[in-house]
């Protein structure tokens, strides 16, 4: 590793820690998965900045510290089956792939799913299945899930996703009435119902119903 790469990696991890990502398993996963592999074109040289960046189809790759906070809140266990709604670049799914048994990730934009599959193959991440579809209905044939993460914002947690969460399961997602004011929340399914807690303010692209026409 050149000094420059080592320095950049240290700075990246330092920034994550300073923004509240303290869980060691999450930090180790984020150290291993190179965000640079998921950012293309003119923004590639900003891959290690703690900022969201534009990707294809008018979407964004999330800010690394938000990826870290969501991963940490999800408290993924090694045997878990995880559903991610909103593949985007594939970066969040790749980070999760280091922590869980199997990741299903779904996006309504086929070109994004295709590009993400290519990166997963190149990095030998064999426990991720990327699917083109409307994730607001979840993924019935693989349900129920130990963990669900939604990386696009809805007004409320979608009912079908809550229904596909196991007892003892955790879902992390942004919710909000507008594009500008959203909160990251965590939902736990217990024996008797659902428990909610609010984590932090965030800003995500909206969860849109139906397949995209590309
Ligand atoms: N997790 C991504 C960032 C996601 S951006 C990453 O790590 O890069 C949000 C993504 O959610 C976009 O790609 C958008 O196409 C997708 N999305 C929005 N509504 C959706 C829906 N109903 N079903 C599946 N994907 C959806």
């Amino acid at each position: 590793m050149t000094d420059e790469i080592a320095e950049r990696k240290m700075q990246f991890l330092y920034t994550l820690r300073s923004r509240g990502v303290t869980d060691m398993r999450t930090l180790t996963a984020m150290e291993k998965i190179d965000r640079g592999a998921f950012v293309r074109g003119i923004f590639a040289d900003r891959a290690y900045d703690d900022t969201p960046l534009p990707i294809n189809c008018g979407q964004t790759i999330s800010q690394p510290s938000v990826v870290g906070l969501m991963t940490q809140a999800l408290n993924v266990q090694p045997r878990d089956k995880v559903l991610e709604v909103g593949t985007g670049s594939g970066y969040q799914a790749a980070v999760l792939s280091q922590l869980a048994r199997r990741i299903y990730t779904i996006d309504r934009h086929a070109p994004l799913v295709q590009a993400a599959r290519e990166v997963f193959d190149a990095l030998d991440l064999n426990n991720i299945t990327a699917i083109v579809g409307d994730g607001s209905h979840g993924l019935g044939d693989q349900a129920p899930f130990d963990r669900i993460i939604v990386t696009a914002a809805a007004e409320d947690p979608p009912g079908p996703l809550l229904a596909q969460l196991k007892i003892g399961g955790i879902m992390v997602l942004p919710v909000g009435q507008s594009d500008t004011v959203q909160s990251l929340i965590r939902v736990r399914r217990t024996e008797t119902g659902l428990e909610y807690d609010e984590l932090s303010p965030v800003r995500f692209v909206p969860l849109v119903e139906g397949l995209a026409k590309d």
Side-chain angles (χ1 to χ4, degrees):
M1 209 188 308
T2 67
D3 285 355
E4 197 190 329
I5 295 172
E7 170 67 31
R8 208 166 54 186
K9 198 163 229 180
M10 257 175 51
Q11 184 60 45
F12 183 75
L13 291 169
Y14 175 79
T15 303
L16 290 175
R17 280 204 195 85
S18 70
R19 306 223 159 141
V21 184
T22 52
D23 173 57
M24 274 318 293
R25 289 185 307 146
T26 300
L27 288 167
T28 304
M30 293 185 75
E31 185 176 0
K32 258 177 100 179
I33 299 295
D34 179 8
R35 190 173 185 247
F38 297 87
V39 182
R40 291 171 190 201
I42 53 169
F43 295 103
D45 62 337
R46 298 186 56 195
Y48 307 98
D49 293 355
D50 191 29
T51 178
L53 293 170
I55 56 173
N56 219 340
C57 305
Q59 305 302 314
T60 51
I61 177 172
S62 310
Q63 188 176 346
S65 57
V66 172
V67 170
L69 291 171
M70 290 179 85
T71 304
Q72 167 170 297
L74 211 55
N75 190 23
V76 177
Q77 302 300 310
R79 306 273 328 136
D80 282 354
K81 181 162 75 166
V82 181
L83 173 65
E84 179 194 32
V85 177
T87 311
S89 69
Y91 178 60
Q92 172 76 75
V95 170
L96 291 169
S97 77
Q98 304 300 295
L99 301 168
R101 180 171 55 88
R102 179 141 283 281
I103 314 296
Y104 293 90
T105 180
I106 181 165
D107 204 290
R108 58 191 291 278
H109 285 283
L112 294 179
V113 171
Q114 190 49 42
R117 279 186 191 139
E118 282 164 21
V119 185
F120 300 150
D121 282 347
L123 299 181
D124 255 336
L125 304 175
N126 300 316
N127 62 340
I128 309 175
T129 306
I131 298 153
V132 180
D134 177 358
S136 55
H137 304 296
L139 192 61
D141 37 333
Q142 295 299 335
F145 296 95
D146 300 285
R147 301 288 187 264
I148 299 178
I149 178 170
V150 186
T151 60
E155 276 192 26
D156 298 297
L161 294 181
L162 292 172
Q164 291 178 17
L165 193 59
K166 281 187 194 170
I167 292 177
I170 299 175
M171 172 152 86
V172 173
L173 75 164
V175 289
Q177 305 268 338
S178 75
D179 282 358
T180 48
V181 189
Q182 303 162 359
S183 313
L184 193 61
I185 65 163
R186 174 170 45 197
V187 187
R188 292 172 205 266
R189 175 175 289 287
T190 67
E191 295 278 355
T192 51
L194 297 166
E195 283 174 3
Y196 294 84
D197 58 310
E198 200 169 317
L199 304 173
S200 54
V202 282
R203 194 167 172 182
F204 275 85
V205 297
L207 188 74
V208 179
E209 295 229 356
L211 275 185
K213 291 187 186 57
D214 50 19

